[in-house]
Amino acid sequence: MTLTFNSDIYSQLLSQHQPRIIKTEEKNEKFLETVEELLSRSNLTPEEDALLELLVKLIEDFEDKHYQLNSSTPFARLMEARSLEQADLVEILGYSDEIVTKT
């Protein structure tokens, strides 16, 4: 069964949530709450899925601009995600101390 996209339903969702470029932390929080609520559902309609995609993009744009989440190096992100020290990366990746220290 293929679900079709209903423009009228999507228009109603847009009217209800009024997504737009996020300029304040308060609006970001509001859209985050909506995203969390949508993600908590087991089955989204195509219209809800489109709204979710739009809100996530708006949130990402705001957070990239204001929080610079991806400003670290790949090595630094790997170390943080795995709770590693620089010495651990030398052992795991086989790189010299000098290369890892520059990250």
Side-chain angles (χ1 to χ4, degrees):
M1 177 178 159
T2 302
L3 297 176
T4 58
F5 190 86
N6 185 313
S7 295
D8 291 333
I9 293 173
Y10 185 59
S11 293
Q12 290 172 359
L13 286 171
L14 291 174
S15 178
Q16 177 184 352
H17 296 283
Q18 300 181 7
R20 57 193 168 278
I21 293 173
I22 302 171
K23 296 181 181 178
T24 66
E25 187 64 39
E26 293 77 23
K27 185 56 72 174
N28 190 53
E29 289 297 322
K30 182 179 180 211
F31 287 160
L32 279 169
E33 289 173 8
T34 303
V35 165
E36 288 175 12
E37 193 271 323
L38 288 168
L39 289 174
S40 71
R41 298 182 188 176
S42 57
N43 293 316
L44 294 179
T45 65
E47 301 80 18
E48 291 169 330
D49 191 53
L51 175 65
L52 175 63
E53 185 177 7
L54 175 60
L55 292 176
V56 167
K57 177 63 176 151
L58 293 170
I59 291 166
E60 285 175 348
D61 289 351
F62 176 82
E63 292 185 353
D64 283 348
K65 182 177 179 182
H66 292 88
Y67 300 132
Q68 299 178 3
L69 295 176
N70 294 321
S71 62
S72 63
T73 66
F75 284 133
R77 289 192 299 273
L78 174 63
M79 290 170 55
E80 183 178 338
R82 306 268 189 214
S83 299
L84 300 172
E85 300 294 324
Q86 286 182 346
D88 297 322
L89 282 182
V90 171
E91 183 178 325
I92 293 168
L93 301 174
Y95 291 144
S96 70
D97 283 325
E98 290 177 11
I99 292 173
V100 174
T101 304
K102 292 179 183 179
T103 60

